[in-house]
Amino acid sequence: MTSYPLLLVSLLLIIIMFLSPSAASSTPSDSICNSTQYPSFCKSELPNNKSANVYDYGQYSVRQSLTAATKFQHLVNSYLSRRSSLTLSAIRALEDCSLLAELNIDFLSSSVKNVNTTTTSLPTSQTEELQALLSAVLTNQQTCLDGLEATSSAWSVKKGLYTPLSNGTKLYSVSLSIFNRGWVPHQKKKPKTGRRLLFSETTSLDEVVVRDSVVVAQDGSGNFTNISDAIAAAPNKTDISGGYFVIYVVAGVYEEYVAIDKNKRNIMMIGDGINQTIITGNRSVADGWTTFNSATFAVVGKGFVGINITIRNTAGAVKHQAVALRNGADMSTFYSCSFEAYQDTLYTHSLRQFYRECDIFGTVDFIFGNAAVVFQYCNLYARLPMSGQFNALTAQGRTDPGQNTGTSIQGCNILATDDLASSNSGTKTYLGRPWKEYSRTVYMQSYMDNLIDSSGWAEWNDTFALSTLYYAEYNNTGPGSDASNRVTWAGYHVINATDASNFTVSNFIMGDYWLNNTGVPYTGGLL
């Protein structure tokens, strides 16, 4: 009789061993590091603790990442404290780096707090959020580097920042890789898909929770005469459960640079319609701005919603990179808006974004960045570029295979503007080109007019990224959709419905968890 309890205990221990997730058992650091992008660097950073598991290493690497981000910001600010010895373009690039480092500190602080609370699983929505934040940390680091490299007068600054930038990138990549291995399930639970139609055709606010609202009118009949003052009046760090701070912008042309910083969360800005409420600027790289800070409208505050607004950059094709909208706001949405410029019109910089029934106009790389973003029922208009240029609709900037990012274009129309359609310029127009090594773009269920070159896609620089990118097409229509003469790169695919479903609103940006709050219509699955 006394042997049965011991037998039961032994059986129970065996069952626990087999049922417990393998990640929770001790795992040599070599095994973990060999699955990262930087095995040697990873091994030099992680402690050699034979009793540690993937969660221990994940917690350690995220904490180390936070320390590195904090040190990097201090280093950048030390350069900025000596402004008199720097050129204006170098100062602007460093200011970008300081802002991006500050965001990284926030994202990593949140990540440390969450991964330290558990050594097993996290709720799906929380897992997706942390994967998005850790992906954005890498994007922010790369954006800082890109801005410095484009600034010829910042040579001494670049020399001093290159090593911490490079080491930071490796550390952030390792943290993302270990997080994906430990906390992200191999088979993600897919949210239910289906059509959500909560907004009326007149964009009624009946289905949206409103915290407060103000009016911007240039004639003085509202609460404010400019948009920036209205944004400043919004409360800081609000939660969506309390509703949106709604800014209604009366029809007019607003010549101002709008910035919605990280503290201004859950703002909903509503205009009187495309080409009625217009926000316009003309900053460009040619005039000394970085691409990042050339934007007419820049939003970082989480949960932003923009409706019935036109955002322009009027610098023109001759000024090269000149951004209309830069969006680095998580769970942000634009509905029935237009974005107008030439090169680099719409900078989908980072985190999770959704665009519905919007018009985007441009020439070279006019939708670019490294967000996880879905465009649904939008019109993408290629314009007539400068002589000798070709058009590329997208230039997606994924730098690491562990990032959750990419550009998904679903149910959209790919068209030429009248000036391009009527010209005899021989301009070639492509679906995209690989800005970064793991560039990822998918076109599905969209109409492509005859402006698209039969090869479909263009190189960035010779053979760069052709085997590491992921470009895909699924069930598109129109004369430009014929895939029989497409590029034969290893990274290009014609995909089926199963693969395409991974890039839908519900699965790619987890839209079912957050889009219902916005009242914006969306289709969760394939159309």
Side-chain angles (χ1 to χ4, degrees):
M1 292 293 290
T2 56
S3 63
Y4 282 103
L6 183 61
L7 178 61
L8 288 173
V9 170
S10 300
L11 286 171
L12 184 60
L13 287 172
I14 292 171
I15 291 169
I16 289 172
M17 281 177 56
F18 280 97
L19 291 184
S20 296
S22 58
S25 60
S26 61
T27 309
S29 60
D30 280 7
S31 171
I32 288 176
C33 287
N34 287 337
S35 65
T36 70
Q37 290 293 100
Y38 305 99
S40 297
F41 179 86
C42 175
K43 291 171 189 177
S44 71
E45 288 294 312
L46 293 188
N48 188 15
N49 183 349
K50 293 182 179 179
S51 65
N53 58 46
V54 68
Y55 299 110
D56 298 322
Y57 289 127
Q59 291 164 352
Y60 177 83
S61 64
V62 173
R63 288 196 302 269
Q64 291 299 103
S65 294
L66 176 57
T67 299
T70 304
K71 288 181 178 178
F72 183 71
Q73 188 190 38
H74 290 158
L75 180 59
V76 170
N77 289 343
S78 72
Y79 279 103
L80 283 170
S81 69
R82 304 191 294 271
R83 290 170 180 261
S84 59
S85 63
L86 300 172
T87 64
L88 180 59
S89 58
I91 291 170
R92 286 172 173 166
L94 284 168
E95 286 175 340
D96 291 351
C97 289
S98 181
L99 168 64
L100 293 160
E102 182 181 333
L103 291 173
N104 279 355
I105 291 169
D106 289 349
F107 296 164
L108 289 164
S109 296
S110 178
S111 300
V112 166
K113 179 180 177 181
N114 283 283
V115 299
N116 278 350
T117 62
T118 177
T119 56
T120 53
S121 61
L122 291 164
T124 301
S125 60
Q126 199 171 356
T127 301
E128 295 289 334
E129 180 179 5
L130 293 184
Q131 189 182 37
L133 292 178
L134 292 172
S135 295
V137 167
L138 272 170
T139 302
N140 290 342
Q141 189 84 343
Q142 184 64 48
T143 303
C144 169
L145 178 60
D146 288 344
L148 290 170
E149 288 185 337
T151 307
S152 58
S153 61
W155 184 85
S156 62
V157 174
K158 285 185 280 188
K159 185 179 179 182
L161 293 179
Y162 182 78
T163 296
L165 270 170
S166 176
N167 288 342
T169 295
K170 292 173 184 177
L171 183 56
Y172 303 155
S173 175
V174 167
S175 292
L176 176 60
S177 178
I178 297 175
F179 177 81
N180 287 344
R181 177 168 171 173
W183 281 272
V184 178
H186 294 298
Q187 294 294 327
K188 294 183 181 180
K189 182 180 179 181
K190 303 294 187 183
K192 294 179 180 179
T193 63
R195 191 171 179 82
R196 304 290 191 272
L197 288 171
L198 298 182
F199 238 90
S200 75
E201 292 302 313
T202 57
T203 61
S204 166
L205 292 175
D206 291 346
E207 301 290 343
V208 173
V209 178
V210 176
R211 174 188 302 272
D212 200 359
S213 62
V214 296
V215 176
V216 178
Q218 291 173 319
D219 64 4
S221 60
N223 304 96
F224 302 96
T225 58
N226 67 75
I227 298 167
S228 297
D229 286 347
I231 293 167
N236 289 329
K237 299 182 179 180
T238 57
D239 187 84
I240 189 58
S241 61
Y244 288 97
F245 183 85
V246 176
I247 301 173
Y248 167 51
V249 185
V250 175
V253 178
Y254 295 81
E255 297 182 7
E256 59 178 299
Y257 295 95
V258 176
I260 300 176
D261 71 28
K262 64 177 185 176
N263 294 321
K264 302 296 183 180
R265 302 172 186 168
N266 301 306
I267 288 178
M268 178 177 284
M269 188 176 295
I270 304 173
D272 275 329
I274 291 175
N275 293 328
Q276 298 300 311
T277 297
I278 301 167
I279 304 168
T280 184
N282 62 1
R283 290 175 178 169
S284 68
V285 168
D287 286 337
W289 301 91
T290 62
T291 300
F292 185 81
N293 60 35
S294 70
T296 299
F297 194 112
V299 55
V300 177
K302 182 178 180 180
F304 178 82
V305 181
I307 301 169
N308 293 344
I309 297 169
T310 289
I311 301 172
R312 290 177 180 161
N313 189 314
T314 60
V318 71
K319 293 298 180 74
H320 300 281
Q321 297 97 328
V323 175
L325 170 69
R326 187 191 82 230
N327 187 0
D330 197 23
M331 297 189 288
S332 55
T333 311
F334 283 86
Y335 176 45
S336 190
C337 291
S338 69
F339 312 99
E340 302 174 12
Y342 286 84
Q343 184 171 345
D344 291 3
T345 302
L346 177 52
Y347 195 172
T348 55
H349 181 261
S350 55
L351 297 164
R352 295 168 290 181
Q353 307 178 17
F354 179 62
Y355 297 76
R356 169 86 177 203
E357 296 171 39
C358 292
D359 298 334
I360 306 106
F361 296 80
T363 54
V364 180
D365 308 333
F366 67 90
I367 298 172
F368 76 112
N370 196 25
V373 55
V374 177
F375 294 88
Q376 197 170 80
Y377 294 123
C378 294
N379 298 310
L380 280 55
Y381 291 102
R383 307 175 81 167
L384 182 65
M386 292 192 297
S387 177
Q389 286 186 326
F390 61 81
N391 289 329
L393 274 66
T394 65
Q396 206 282 326
R398 187 164 168 251
T399 61
D400 191 290
Q403 289 177 303
N404 70 329
T405 55
T407 298
S408 174
I409 296 170
Q410 182 186 28
C412 295
N413 295 310
I414 317 302
L415 306 165
T417 54
D418 290 342
D419 63 347
L420 177 62
S422 62
S423 74
N424 295 315
S425 63
T427 299
K428 290 183 178 291
T429 298
Y430 300 96
L431 296 173
R433 59 179 185 151
W435 182 28
K436 302 296 181 185
E437 190 172 3
Y438 294 92
S439 183
R440 181 161 63 172
T441 302
V442 177
Y443 285 83
M444 52 191 190
Q445 301 174 300
S446 293
Y447 174 82
M448 301 178 181
D449 212 344
N450 59 9
L451 74 160
I452 299 300
D453 187 82
S454 60
S455 62
W457 307 81
E459 296 96 351
W460 183 270
N461 183 15
D462 200 21
T463 60
F464 170 73
L466 301 189
S467 61
T468 50
L469 59 79
Y470 183 90
Y471 287 166
E473 299 179 52
Y474 167 72
N475 202 24
N476 298 302
T477 60
S481 67
D482 183 356
S484 59
N485 292 312
R486 290 296 199 245
V487 294
T488 57
W489 308 336
Y492 170 74
H493 311 273
V494 175
I495 57 177
N496 58 27
T498 300
D499 291 333
S501 68
N502 292 321
F503 299 95
T504 57
V505 170
S506 293
N507 295 337
F508 192 50
I509 59 173
M510 305 302 283
D512 294 335
Y513 286 103
W514 54 278
L515 278 171
N516 285 333
N517 293 321
T518 70
V520 171
Y522 73 93
T523 301
L526 294 173
L527 306 177

